[in-house]
Amino acid sequence: MTQPPPTHKPQVLSRHSVAKSRLFHIESLELRFSNGAERTFERLSGSDQGAVMIIAMPDPDHVLLIREYAAGFEDYVLTLPKGLVDPGEDIITAANRELMEECGFGARLIEPLVELSLAPNYMRHRMQVLLATDLYPKRLPGDEPEPLEVETHALEELPALLLRDDFHEARAIAALYIARDTLRARRRGEPSLAW
């Protein structure tokens, strides 16, 4: 017999900082669950400003991807342009700035598609995925240590991208499938998908 799901969140008994760096803050949380069980959880505390990931389309069928060094894998990966929302920015402004910094394009039309998280058991990090269209050339200086390589790929050829060894970021994969399905629905005249 299965038990009903919990009806309320665990009580936070205490929280303290375990470690902090320029990029990361690790917190320890002492929790008491509704059944009385107590556990210690550790998490990476994210920026309250948020982050954006951009699906930039130079035409109705293609998307821009960037190749950048990923220190976690000690190798170059193919992914979508992305970055943190700076203080005072909204997500549209942040997405356009990141697009200019990383791809050398601005967008006249940027619309939110979905919010994604990554490893929510361990991280408080949310990423806003935005669709950018009607692109125009515009470059802003970014914070990347080297120029990023920009590639154009057909949105309908996602299965071929998944076969590549350098394309494996889960958020980018999910974002591209969501964008593809949203655009397919629009082309058929169907209501936008509710993500």
Side-chain angles (χ1 to χ4, degrees):
M1 182 169 161
T2 60
Q3 294 184 2
T7 56
H8 61 279
K9 295 179 188 178
Q11 177 186 3
V12 178
L13 302 174
S14 69
R15 80 177 70 219
H16 67 277
S17 180
V18 174
K20 205 169 198 176
S21 74
R22 181 177 60 85
L23 294 177
F24 301 107
H25 179 205
I26 301 173
E27 283 185 318
S28 177
L29 301 173
E30 301 293 331
L31 303 174
R32 179 177 296 132
F33 289 80
S34 59
N35 63 0
E38 293 185 9
R39 295 289 187 277
T40 301
F41 279 63
E42 289 184 350
R43 71 175 185 181
L44 282 175
S45 188
S47 164
D48 289 331
Q49 295 296 115
V52 293
M53 178 175 273
I54 306 100
I55 303 194
M57 301 192 65
D59 62 60
D61 300 314
H62 293 87
V63 64
L64 300 179
L65 298 176
I66 58 169
R67 180 177 308 290
E68 67 180 347
Y69 184 73
F73 281 88
E74 296 182 24
D75 204 355
Y76 287 87
V77 297
L78 193 62
T79 188
L80 290 166
K82 60 188 168 300
L84 295 176
V85 177
D86 287 345
E89 284 185 324
D90 59 32
I91 61 172
I92 304 293
T93 304
N96 213 19
R97 176 186 49 76
E98 287 291 342
L99 184 57
M100 292 175 190
E101 291 175 0
E102 297 189 359
C103 294
F105 287 95
R108 290 182 186 89
L109 179 60
I110 299 178
E111 58 183 302
L113 283 183
V114 69
E115 180 181 85
L116 300 175
S117 67
L118 179 68
N121 287 12
Y122 304 102
M123 299 174 71
R124 190 183 75 188
H125 179 73
R126 296 174 188 268
M127 170 112 13
Q128 302 297 323
V129 178
L130 299 103
L131 179 65
T133 54
D134 197 6
L135 304 185
Y136 58 91
K138 172 77 174 179
R139 175 146 320 264
L140 289 178
D143 58 1
E144 289 76 21
E146 61 185 359
L148 299 178
E149 183 181 331
V150 180
E151 298 183 12
T152 303
H153 290 271
L155 193 55
E156 289 295 332
E157 295 178 8
L158 290 179
L161 269 175
L162 291 175
L163 296 175
R164 294 177 55 142
D165 290 338
D166 61 350
F167 183 72
H168 47 73
E169 184 182 359
R171 294 175 303 178
I173 293 167
L176 286 171
Y177 273 101
I178 290 167
R180 184 200 66 183
D181 289 354
T182 299
L183 292 170
R184 280 180 178 175
R186 287 180 185 174
R187 288 177 185 147
R188 291 190 301 258
E190 298 172 1
S192 291
L193 302 172
W195 297 101

